[in-house]
């Protein structure tokens, strides 16, 4: 059988490409497709309510054998990936897709839905300025942004941040702010000039989080269990799109398949896709007219490098390096917890002399993770840390900064002879903007200290891009503006591997919009 | 260094009592024992501590851990205390030890001031205990 299109992967790019192609041609989606062990239905209330009522099942929150506590012995692992039911997101990637990192600690996902299972739900459009080195304009992406937003449901407020987050009609109402988020926004509004002088602007979040029913998906409950409960219907997950397309029979989905390489038959022939059936059934081969690479930027690049059998070339590698700035609102110390709130409260934007590119940040409350993840950061003896958790955590916010990777790429990636990847990442200077942010918030009663800021190793943002960048005159490892690798219309890079640069904001919405755009182009070449 | 003979039950009882001030409930002790692989893990990198001496002499684990955390970084005792904190956090009986259900700002500030002073004392005590009882493996 010859498929019109084979899509590799079910993350944001794969789901968006499938959404565009489904019903128009014969589509096969190949995916490793790790799935959650269970849905975590027992986590049906906020974690505070669960703990208070004695229904906080340790097996679901920390694991029967403490598998969610491995952060105690091992390196930093995002709280979003630690919980027992969420470990499927990054399960087994070191065995299936080994990477030797130098200054780079990536996480790769082979889960259905991809790394978007651990998405903070930030749904932001790139601006014309952020697309300035892409060989496409904002006008070309805008219709696709609109389609994606309509499909996934995006909540937000028109509060003067449209120039940065993208003008968007059809937003769902924004989620209610917590007391802390309200106080931070009021602090900004009261001292707007002072914040602006330091380069900061603050506004409401734009989130792929439902504040009311959207299609067959229920609204987000605000119970803070998204770090523990997979595939929360209130927050968009690409698997929801795949699931719906599979249900109506417009795509064929095959999981437990690891695609390793492809070849093309002559200059105009079919694409032969090769991989392994992970159930032990051996090698698999499929044939198609268009191959859509949507396995995530790192995995798609691995497939390309393996297919070209090139272990000499170094592909560019981009990553949003991150930092965390904890701050405490002194007046809120001793307040009661708010069992129901949205973790991501506000968007903070820095544009100023300390960074050549804008730096975007998210202001988070601390309701979602287990509080002992942070307790031992307090400079107090153990019982003091317990008291600090009780009295200070409701007053505590974390601002997570994302640094852009524009201009020359920060890192590179290559294929080793043993088919593992080598990836190296340079150092992004961090610390200055964090200090300015602390100073900006201080007069409003939010207290932080530079010594308490954390700077995780590169790779911990899960935002990877730029290995097969789009350009007008693509070489072998570059894409045309339509995502065609080396200009070959049969191989299309639909994920962030084709991004020319990596701005500081979450890239998921742009991955989806771009994947729909290139899939639309692929469809047009199929029907010509 | 951890040995198979390390008294996990005694360890759990001692650490829990130091943290919560009452005897460890049997179900929590069983959960601790079920985490034996994690509790006993010695992946390297963390400073080894003479747990046997700490348990046998019923030394102040809070003071020792705080001094080690400040002066020596990652250490085995700190890891054990952190694991116990996770277990206790999920136990209904300790809900109010971690979660403020009602606002109490005055109590919160006075409590934190007291714990600041108490932590300073624990630091000094921890330094003494570690040196006096030779708790660090050379």
């Amino acid at each position: 059988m010859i498929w019109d299109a084979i899509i590799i992967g079910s993350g944001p790019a794969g789901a968006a490409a499938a959404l565009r192609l489904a019903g128009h041609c014969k589509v096969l989606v190949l995916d490793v497709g790790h799935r959650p062990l269970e849905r975590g239905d027992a986590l049906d209330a906020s974690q505070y309510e669960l703990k208070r009522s004695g229904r906080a099942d340790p097996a679901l929150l920390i694991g029967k054998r403490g598998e969610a506590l491995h952060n105690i012995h091992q390196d930093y692992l995002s709280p979003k990936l630690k919980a027992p039911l969420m470990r499927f997101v990054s399960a087994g990637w070191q065995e299936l897709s080994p990477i030797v990192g130098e200054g780079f600690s990536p996480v790769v996902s082979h889960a259905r839905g991809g790394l978007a299972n651990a998405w903070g739900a930030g749904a932001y459009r790139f601006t014309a300025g952020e697309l300035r080195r892409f060989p496409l304009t904002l006008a070309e992406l805008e219709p696709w942004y609109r389609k994606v937003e309509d499909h996934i449901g995006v909540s937000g407020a028109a509060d003067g941040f449209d120039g940065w987050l993208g003008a968007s009609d059809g937003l769902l109402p924004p989620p209610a702010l917590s007391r802390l988020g309200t106080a931070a926004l009021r602090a900004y509004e009261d001292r707007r000039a002072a914040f602006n002088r330091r380069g900061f602007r603050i506004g409401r979040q734009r989130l792929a989080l439902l504040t009311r029913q959207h299609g067959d998906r229920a609204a987000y409950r605000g119970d803070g269990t998204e770090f523990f409960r997979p595939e929360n219907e209130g927050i968009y997950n690409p698997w929801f799109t795949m699931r719906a397309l599979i249900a109506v029979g417009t795509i064929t989905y095959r999981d437990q398949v690891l695609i390793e390489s492809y070849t093309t038959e002559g200059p105009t022939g079919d694409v032969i896709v090769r991989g392994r059936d992970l159930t032990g059934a051996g090698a698999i081969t499929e044939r198609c007219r268009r191959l859509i690479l949507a396995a995530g930027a790192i995995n798609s690049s691995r497939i390309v490098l393996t297919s070209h059998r090139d272990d000499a070339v170094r592909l560019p590698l981009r990553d949003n390096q991150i930092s965390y700035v904890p701050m405490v609102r002194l007046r809120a110390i001793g307040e009661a917890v708010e069992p129901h709130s949205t973790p991501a409260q506000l968007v903070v934007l820095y544009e100023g002399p300390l960074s050549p590119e804008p730096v975007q940040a998210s202001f988070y409350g601390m309701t979602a993770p287990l509080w002992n993840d942070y307790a031992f950061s307090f400079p107090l003896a153990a019982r003091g840390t317990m008291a600090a958790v009780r009295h200070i955590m409701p007053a505590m916010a974390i601002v997570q900064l994302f640094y852009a990777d524009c201009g020359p790429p920060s890192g590179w990636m290559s294929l080793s002879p043993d088919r593992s990847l080598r990836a190296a990442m340079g150092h992004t200077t961090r610390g200055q903007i964090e200090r300015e942010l602390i100073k900006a918030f201080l007069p409003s009663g939010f207290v932080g200290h530079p010594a308490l800021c954390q700077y995780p190793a590169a790779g911990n943002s899960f935002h990877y891009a730029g290995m097969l960048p789009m350009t007008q005159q693509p070489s072998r490892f570059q894409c045309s503006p339509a995502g065609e690798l080396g200009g070959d219309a049969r191989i299309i890079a639909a994920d962030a591997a084709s991004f020319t640069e990596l701005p500081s904001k979450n890239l998921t919405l742009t991955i989806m919009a771009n994947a729909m755009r290139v899939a639309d182009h692929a469809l047009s070449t199929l029907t010509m | 260094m951890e040995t198979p003979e390390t008294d996990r039950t005694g360890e759990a009882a001692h650490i829990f009592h130091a943290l919560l001030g009452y005897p460890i409930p049997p179900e929590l002790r069983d959960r601790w024992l079920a985490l034996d692989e994690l509790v006993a893990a010695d992946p390297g990198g963390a400073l080894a501590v003479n747990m046997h001496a700490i348990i046998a002499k019923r030394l102040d684990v809070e003071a020792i851990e705080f001094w080690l955390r400040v002066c020596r970084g990652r250490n085995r005792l700190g890891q054990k205390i952190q694991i116990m904190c996770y277990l206790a956090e999920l136990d209904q009986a300790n809900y109010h030890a971690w979660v403020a259900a009602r606002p109490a700002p005055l109590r919160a500030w006075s409590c934190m001031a007291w714990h600041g002073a108490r932590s300073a004392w624990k630091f000094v005590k921890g330094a003494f205990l570690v040196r006096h009882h030779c708790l660090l493996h050379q």
Side-chain angles (χ1 to χ4, degrees), chain A residues 65 334 373 380 383 390, chain B residues 37 62 69 86 89 96 104:
Chain A
R65 300 170 69 187
D373 286 351
L380 294 166
R383 288 176 85 149
R390 185 172 192 270
Chain B
E37 193 182 320
E62 209 193 347
R69 177 157 36 109
Y86 275 109
E89 181 187 353
H96 292 288

Side-chain angles (χ1 to χ4, degrees), chain A residues 451-475:
Chain A
L452 299 176
C453 296
Q454 292 185 16
Y455 302 95
N460 278 293
S461 68
F462 315 151
H463 300 177
Y464 317 124
M467 299 77 160
L468 311 166
M470 282 184 265
T471 176
Q472 292 291 359
Q473 304 291 330
S475 63

Side-chain angles (χ1 to χ4, degrees), chain A residues 425-437:
Chain A
M425 185 58 70
H427 179 69
T428 296
T429 304
R430 294 167 288 181
Q432 291 180 301
I433 298 172
E434 288 78 356
R435 276 192 286 276
E436 281 299 301
L437 186 69

Side-chain angles (χ1 to χ4, degrees), chain A residues 33-40 84-89 111-112 117 228-231 237 239:
Chain A
H34 288 151
R35 58 183 68 189
L37 295 171
E38 57 168 292
R39 296 191 328 157
L85 299 187
M86 297 299 287
R87 295 182 78 85
F88 78 102
V89 179
R112 65 186 195 187
N117 282 288
F228 304 97
R229 188 176 185 214
E231 297 174 1
N237 183 317
W239 177 247

